[in-house]
């Protein structure tokens, strides 16, 4: 570790090139989001020289807390239409700044031989708790569903206001954050709802705090709150006081609840103890038990003269509807009986008339036959 620091210091003294430092971002995002976040500071890092590889390893060793395998996006990409070049160190990939140099590059896996999709690269490292013991490159799709933390390359010398910097946090929810260029003690977080948090590194606790001195829960600072709650300046979900807008009507009291509110409707007692809406009610004596007594049941005074009216829910009375309906039904049935009787009488008379006509016709035919037989000699 110390040899790396001495080597980097020596190279910065003898070199005339620009000075850069490297910022490790712990929140996992897609390649496009990592590129966008780094644009606030510089670019996704390249690994074009041996010195740069050592500098990135040093930054990772200072950032990581425990041993294990880790992956980070770096600024290496092969756009659609460009094919793999197995003979080249970068295999046909290019740094985001347009360079193609690579003094010391190690591939853990050979890139997929395709020319029809964008392919992006992440560095895979092995950390033993003290330093990076192995590393190599892996490529994969650039789609949004693939997420990794990332490393930014920032121009300028890193300023260290404290013996140790606050680590770049993992931020929950949809967000964009800006790590102040050249000043690791400043961090701006812009949530998807446009709420912004300007944070400063507390050199005592090594935690991020607001300008008011409050600690922020960065794991949920940009996670939306439930209905009826809003984000506070410290990033916590706090209950909205709906009663401040006086949503309840007159003769009612607004009670603020967790995430909502409730209107309690009360009827105030007039000075003489009579309900304002009932002019026929007589006042009740102060010491006489009754529904409008201004003393509570235990004998104590009721200074606000609040009348508590007990309402018993009863079933509605439909008798005034049933009686006219029954009368109408009976009248209809009677009318129907009269009509059927008239029809039956008419049909009976018709059958009788028809029977009489048939008898008269038969009698006439019989008489005619008899006359005709008398005329025969």
């Amino acid at each position: 570790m110390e040899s790396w620091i001495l080597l980097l210091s020596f190279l910065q003294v003898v070199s005339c090139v620009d000075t850069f430092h490297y910022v490790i971002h712990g929140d996992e995002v897609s390649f496009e989001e990592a590129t966008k976040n780094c644009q606030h500071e510089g670019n996704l890092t390249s690994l074009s020289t041996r010195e740069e590889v050592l500098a990135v390893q040093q930054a990772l060793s200072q950032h990581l807390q425990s041993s294990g395998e880790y992956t980070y996006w770096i600024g290496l990409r092969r756009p659609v239409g460009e094919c793999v070049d197995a003979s080249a160190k970068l295999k046909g990939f290019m740094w985001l700044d347009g360079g193609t140099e690579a003094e010391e590059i190690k591939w853990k896996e050979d890139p997929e031989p395709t020319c029809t999709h964008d392919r992006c690269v992440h560095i895979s490292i092995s950390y033993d708790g003290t330093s990076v013991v192995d590393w190599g490159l892996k490529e994969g799709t650039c789609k949004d569903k693939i997420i990794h933390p990332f490393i930014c390359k920032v121009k300028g010398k890193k300023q260290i206001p404290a013996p140790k910097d606050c680590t770049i946090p993992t931020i929950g929810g949809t967000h964009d954050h800006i790590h102040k260029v050249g000043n690791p003690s400043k961090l701006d977080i812009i949530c998807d709802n446009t709420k912004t948090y300007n944070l400063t590194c507390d050199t005592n606790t090594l935690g991020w705090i607001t300008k008011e001195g409050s600690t922020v829960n960065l794991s949920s600072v940009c996670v939306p709150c439930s209905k009826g709650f809003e984000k506070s300046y410290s990033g916590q979900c706090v209950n909205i006081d709906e009663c401040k807008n006086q949503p309840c009507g007159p003769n009612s009291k607004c009670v603020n609840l967790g995430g909502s509110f409730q209107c309690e409707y009360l009827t105030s007692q007039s000075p003489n103890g009579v309900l304002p809406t009932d002019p026929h009610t007589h006042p009740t004596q102060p010491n006489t038990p009754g529904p409008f007594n201004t003393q509570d049941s235990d004998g104590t005074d009721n200074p606000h003269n609040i009348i508590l009216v007990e309402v018993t829910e009863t079933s509605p009375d439909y008798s005034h509807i049933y009686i006219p309906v029954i009368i109408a039904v009976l009248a209809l049935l009677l009318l129907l009986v009269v009509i059927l009787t008239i029809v039956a009488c008419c049909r009976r008379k018709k059958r009788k008339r028809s029977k009489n006509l048939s008898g008269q016709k038969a009698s006439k035919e019989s008489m005619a036959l008899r006359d005709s037989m008398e005329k025969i000699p």
Side-chain angles (χ1 to χ4, degrees):
M1 178 75 68
E2 294 179 356
S3 61
W4 290 353
I5 297 175
L6 292 174
L7 177 59
L8 289 173
S9 300
F10 173 76
L11 290 172
Q12 290 176 1
V13 171
V14 301
S15 177
C16 296
V17 298
D18 293 331
T19 302
F20 295 91
H21 68 275
Y22 302 87
V23 179
I24 312 299
H25 292 262
D27 48 324
E28 297 185 349
V29 297
S30 66
F31 185 86
E32 295 295 340
E33 290 176 334
T35 302
K36 179 182 176 181
N37 285 335
C38 282
Q39 287 175 350
H40 297 299
E41 308 169 326
N43 289 297
L44 272 175
T45 189
S46 57
L47 299 173
S48 57
T49 64
R50 293 186 179 90
E51 292 78 12
E52 195 165 25
V53 172
L54 290 175
V56 170
Q57 290 180 355
Q58 179 189 4
L60 288 169
S61 298
Q62 293 176 346
H63 171 76
L64 296 174
Q65 303 295 323
S66 59
S67 60
E69 301 291 326
Y70 299 90
T71 58
Y72 294 88
W73 287 122
I74 62 173
L76 192 60
R77 185 173 191 172
R78 179 166 56 81
V80 60
E82 298 292 333
C83 298
V84 172
D85 183 358
S87 62
K89 288 186 176 181
L90 293 182
K91 307 297 184 182
F93 288 79
M94 294 182 61
W95 302 114
L96 293 182
D97 59 9
T100 57
E101 297 180 359
E103 293 181 1
E104 185 177 339
I105 288 293
K106 295 166 58 179
W107 290 89
K108 283 194 173 182
E109 297 177 357
D110 290 333
E112 183 179 336
T114 177
C115 309
T116 58
H117 297 89
D118 286 339
R119 307 296 288 180
C120 298
V121 176
H122 58 271
I123 183 173
S124 174
I125 67 166
S126 300
Y127 181 69
D128 65 359
T130 303
S131 60
V132 176
V133 295
D134 188 27
W135 69 278
L137 304 184
K138 293 182 179 181
E139 60 90 42
T141 179
C142 302
K143 293 182 179 179
D144 291 343
K145 64 180 181 180
I146 306 300
I147 57 175
H148 296 292
F150 55 99
I151 307 171
C152 293
K153 179 180 179 181
V154 181
K155 187 175 181 179
K157 187 177 179 180
K158 185 176 181 180
Q159 300 177 8
I160 305 178
K164 187 177 180 181
D165 300 333
C166 295
T167 57
I168 304 300
T170 298
I171 303 171
T174 305
H175 67 278
D176 183 15
H177 71 241
I178 305 171
H179 199 238
K180 296 295 187 180
V181 176
N183 190 350
S185 66
K186 299 292 183 181
L187 177 66
D188 291 348
I189 300 175
I190 306 173
C191 297
D192 189 46
N193 61 359
T194 70
K195 191 174 184 63
T196 302
Y197 297 91
N198 306 112
L199 307 179
T200 304
C201 177
D202 187 340
T203 56
N204 295 321
T205 63
L206 298 179
W208 296 101
I209 59 175
T210 64
K211 61 182 179 180
E212 293 84 4
S214 301
T215 303
V216 178
N217 184 1
L218 297 175
S219 63
S220 61
V221 66
C222 289
V223 177
C225 296
S226 303
K227 184 179 180 180
F229 293 83
E230 62 183 355
K231 288 288 184 180
S232 67
Y233 62 87
S234 61
Q236 303 295 325
C237 287
V238 296
N239 181 41
I240 299 174
D241 184 8
E242 292 89 353
C243 290
K244 65 183 179 181
N245 296 325
Q246 299 179 350
C248 300
N251 296 327
S252 61
K253 177 183 177 182
C254 179
V255 179
N256 188 42
L257 304 175
S260 62
F261 68 96
Q262 177 178 319
C263 295
E264 293 185 355
Y265 292 93
L266 303 173
T267 304
S268 298
Q269 181 182 0
S270 60
N272 60 358
V274 180
L275 280 174
T277 56
D278 188 359
H280 304 291
T281 305
H282 298 285
T284 304
Q285 296 298 325
N287 295 325
T288 302
F292 311 124
N293 192 2
T294 57
Q295 289 187 344
D296 292 334
S297 59
D298 58 359
T300 58
D301 290 336
N302 183 354
H304 300 290
N305 294 331
I306 301 300
I307 300 172
L308 303 179
V309 180
E310 182 178 358
V311 179
T312 303
E313 185 177 357
T314 58
S315 302
D317 184 10
Y318 295 108
S319 59
H320 61 287
I321 298 177
Y322 290 152
I323 294 175
V325 171
I326 293 173
I327 294 175
V329 172
L330 292 176
L332 181 62
L333 290 175
L334 181 60
L335 179 61
L336 183 60
V337 170
V338 172
I339 293 174
L340 291 176
T341 302
I342 294 173
V343 171
C345 292
C346 292
R347 294 182 64 181
R348 191 161 49 249
K349 290 180 179 180
K350 185 177 180 181
R351 284 198 300 271
K352 186 176 181 180
R353 187 183 302 110
S354 176
K355 185 176 180 179
N356 292 334
L357 291 176
S358 298
Q360 292 176 2
K361 183 178 180 182
S363 178
K364 289 181 180 181
E365 290 178 354
S366 177
M367 292 177 64
L369 179 61
R370 188 174 57 220
D371 293 340
S372 61
M373 292 179 63
E374 289 176 354
K375 291 179 182 182
I376 297 174

